[in-house]
Structures are given as C-alpha cells and as structure tokens.
C-alpha cells in the first residue's frame, strides 16, 4: 500500500461517547488521501470496536499499557507514513475542508512547517467563542510571537513530517528530546506547546482563517487548577531553549523575561489556591506592576482561597487582551 499524503493521529482512552462523531468528521473530508493512525491507550469501553468499524482507512494499534498522553502521541507518530501529520483528539471535530486547505498551504511553500486553523470552542450544545475572533495569528518566522501568545490548538495543527524529523535529530543531539524528540515525555501540561515552539523556531508557520476545527470543552475551565504544573514546565521549556539555541538569552531577552514572569504568575495562582496568600504575593511581587492581570491578581490574593473558582470564571470571561 502506498504511503498517504496525510497521517491523521488519533489517541484514544475510553472516548466512545464522542468518538464516532469525531471519526465521521474525518471521513467527511474533501481531501481523501489520508490514513488514520489510531492509538488505543488501553480503552475498556466501545472505542476499539468503533475505530475498527471504519475500515481500511484506519490503522488500529493498541498499547500494552496505558501511558501518559505525550508518550502515546509519540507511539502513534512512530507509525505515521504521511508527509504531513494532522492531530485530532477524539472529542473534537473537523469541518470538511480542513485537510484540503491546510495541505494546499504546505504544498505551496516548502519552508512552512506547521499550518493551523481557526478554532471554535464548543461545549456540546453551542459555540462559546472563536479563537481568532479577537486577534489573528501571525504568519512566517514567528517564534517569538507564538511564545507570547500560543494560538494553536492540538486538533487544528497540521505539521510537515520533515519538521518533526528535525525535532527528532535535535533531541538525539542534545538528549533533551525523550523518545525521538517529538513530544517531551517529561512534560504533562505543556508538551503540545513545546512541540509547536520548537517547530516555529526553525520553520515558517501559516494558518487558515476559517474555523475548521471544533474544540469540545467539558465542564469548567481547569487551567487554573494546573497552574503549579504550568509554572514548573514553563521554566523547564525556558531551560530547554537555552540548551538548544546558543545565545538565546541575548537574542531573546524579552522572551526570557516573559517566561520568567509568566512562571511567577502561575506559581502565585497555585499558591493562592492552596490558601498560601502571603507566599502567593511574594511570588508575583517583582512583577505586580507588569500588567493588568498581575495587578488584578495582587488584589485578589487578599481574598481567601475559597474565592478561587469564582475568580477563575471571571478571569476567563475577560477579553484575551485584558488577560495579558
């Protein structure tokens, strides 16, 4: 069987509730030269039967044990044969022209390493917002811009396989990339962003201005609840970049400052949620006049930790520009 143009990576763990709708959205694509590399991470529900019911387009694999998502993505990537790689989480959806329009942009410029699309955020009943509604992403060599505002959702990304191969070589040379240098398995909440950043450092990015990806969210936003992890992994990424890219502190002094400040805010939020108000203010003290969100947090941190959930909902209801 000849290799397809696009490999669609689907990682699954007990996703039967939304899986058929997700797979139907792949099968409805106007661009049809694709395979689905379906990696079952130990499902005990109907997901395996659903996946295998879609016929020869699906190459089904099942891991021996359940592993973290970054590791599962690496295992699936090792099976991909396409020159372009797209990712679809099993509860998300694609509009019919997604693969067609992304493939066209990658074919038009061999220096483009990643193409994203606009994304609708969906709660299962209605569209809550569109990611590019407030500000469109930048095109070209936009490493710094992406670090400042990560706009790529996993299910919206299509990546040139050659760009991923570069990450593999990079990881082998430095020892920083675990399992081929694709998704860093030492990261648990920033592993996707880490891959996008490293591609953007060496390749152009492009995007489709149409909302061709539908990102399904479940319940309340949990980002704040993971801010302790985000703080640690933000600093891990900073140290990785310093090791990978000689002269990083000199060339990207603004990014070093940005990531250090971002990690301090994330740490402060985590401490406040734990009821450690004084420690939270100490964490952000050097940056309390750096922007609106730091000032808002400074005053919020005088409230008991029991106000955390209310503050989180209020924060995420604010326009993105106000939260920077």
């Amino acid at each position: 069987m000849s290799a397809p143009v696009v490999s669609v990576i689907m990682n699954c763990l007990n996703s039967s509730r939304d899986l058929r709708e997700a797979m139907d959205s792949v099968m409805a694509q106007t661009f049809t030269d694709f395979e689905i590399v379906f990696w079952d991470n130990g499902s005990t529900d109907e997901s395996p039967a659903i996946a295998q019911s879609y016929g020869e387009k699906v190459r089904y694999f099942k891991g021996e044990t359940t592993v973290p998502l970054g590791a599962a993505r690496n295992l699936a990537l090792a099976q991909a044969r396409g020159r372009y790689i797209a990712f679809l989480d099993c509860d998300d959806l694609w509009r019919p022209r997604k693969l067609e329009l992304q493939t066209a942009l990658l074919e038009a410029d061999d220096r483009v390493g990643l193409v994203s699309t606009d994304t609708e955020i969906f709660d299962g009943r209605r569209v809550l917002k569109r990611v590019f509604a407030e500000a469109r992403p930048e095109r070209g060599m936009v490493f710094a811009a992406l670090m400042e505002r990560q706009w790529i959702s996993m299910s919206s990304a299509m990546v040139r396989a050659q760009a991923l191969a570069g990450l593999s070589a990079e990881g082998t040379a430095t020892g920083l990339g675990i399992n081929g240098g694709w998704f860093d398995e030492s990261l648990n909440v920033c592993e996707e962003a880490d891959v996008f950043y490293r591609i953007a450092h060496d390749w152009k990015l492009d995007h489709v201005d149409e909302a061709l990806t539908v990102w399904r969210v479940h319940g309340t936003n949990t980002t704040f609840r993971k801010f302790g992890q985000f703080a640690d992994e933000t600093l891990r990424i900073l140290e990785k970049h310093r090791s990978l890219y000689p002269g990083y502190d000199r060339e990207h002094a603004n990014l070093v400052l940005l990531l250090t400040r971002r990690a301090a805010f994330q740490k402060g939020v985590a401490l406040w949620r734990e009821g450690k108000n004084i420690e939270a203010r100490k964490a952000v003290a050097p940056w309390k006049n750096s922007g609106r969100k730091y000032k808002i947090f400074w005053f919020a941190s005088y409230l008991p930790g029991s106000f955390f959930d209310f503050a989180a909902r209020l924060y995420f209801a604010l326009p993105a520009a106000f939260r920077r």
Side-chain angles (χ1 to χ4, degrees), residues 35-304:
E35 66 176 359
I36 296 176
V37 178
F38 191 96
W39 190 273
D40 182 355
N41 201 16
S43 296
T44 56
D45 65 1
E46 296 301 312
S47 296
I50 293 171
Q52 293 177 85
S53 73
Y54 281 81
E56 63 182 18
K57 283 279 192 185
V58 179
R59 297 172 61 217
Y60 175 87
F61 302 90
K62 185 166 186 176
E64 295 181 3
T65 59
T66 300
V67 298
L69 180 56
R73 292 201 198 280
N74 284 333
L75 290 166
L77 277 171
Q79 303 296 332
R81 300 178 300 159
R83 66 176 178 267
Y84 307 126
I85 311 293
F87 300 87
L88 180 62
D89 289 341
C90 291
D91 52 357
D92 294 340
L93 303 170
W94 286 345
R95 302 298 187 204
R97 297 190 69 200
K98 180 181 184 291
L99 295 184
E100 174 194 344
L101 296 179
Q102 288 183 295
T103 299
L105 288 175
L106 286 160
E107 294 278 275
D109 186 346
D110 61 10
R111 286 302 304 149
V112 171
L114 184 152
V115 176
S116 58
T117 76
D118 201 349
T119 300
E120 291 177 332
I121 300 177
F122 176 64
D123 69 358
R125 296 169 299 168
R126 61 192 176 93
V127 173
L128 304 178
K129 67 177 181 178
R130 188 165 55 83
V131 171
F132 295 176
E134 296 178 27
R136 290 181 179 177
E138 298 184 34
R139 290 184 163 97
M141 299 300 293
V142 293
F143 172 69
L146 185 67
M147 294 285 290
E148 291 169 7
R149 179 174 74 92
Q150 207 294 85
W151 58 77
I152 306 168
S153 67
M154 194 72 226
S155 291
S156 79
M158 183 185 284
V159 179
R160 189 180 298 274
Q162 186 181 351
L164 286 170
L167 299 190
S168 180
E170 177 183 271
T172 300
T174 63
L176 292 170
I178 301 171
N179 192 8
W182 299 319
F183 289 88
D184 185 337
E185 295 173 24
S186 72
L187 303 175
N188 293 305
V189 293
C190 295
E191 72 275 10
E192 297 169 4
D194 171 62
V195 166
F196 301 151
Y197 295 154
R198 286 185 287 142
I199 291 173
H201 186 270
D202 298 322
W203 294 80
K204 292 180 182 179
L205 301 192
D206 208 339
H207 65 271
V208 180
D209 283 330
E210 295 182 40
L212 301 176
T213 304
V214 180
W215 175 18
R216 193 190 303 264
V217 295
H218 304 279
T220 57
N221 195 299
T222 60
T223 301
F224 261 130
R225 300 183 185 279
K226 298 179 180 179
F227 261 26
Q229 286 179 276
F230 276 110
D232 294 339
E233 294 188 13
T234 295
L235 294 177
R236 154 79 174 162
I237 287 172
L238 174 58
E239 290 309 309
K240 176 187 282 192
H241 287 181
R242 284 169 159 161
S243 298
L244 289 173
Y245 312 126
Y248 185 86
D249 282 62
R250 180 183 65 258
E251 185 177 354
H252 297 292
N254 289 341
L255 290 182
V256 173
L257 182 65
L258 171 73
L259 294 178
T260 303
R261 188 174 64 223
R262 182 180 292 168
F265 177 76
Q266 292 163 338
K267 187 66 174 177
V269 170
L271 289 167
W272 176 48
R273 183 169 180 262
E274 294 168 6
K276 300 175 182 178
N277 300 53
I278 294 174
E279 292 93 330
R281 285 192 292 279
K282 284 182 180 178
V284 300
W287 317 104
K288 70 176 183 178
N289 294 317
S290 297
R292 295 187 188 99
K293 74 176 183 181
Y294 296 90
K295 293 178 182 177
I296 291 170
F297 175 75
W298 183 264
F299 291 110
S301 69
Y302 283 93
L303 298 171

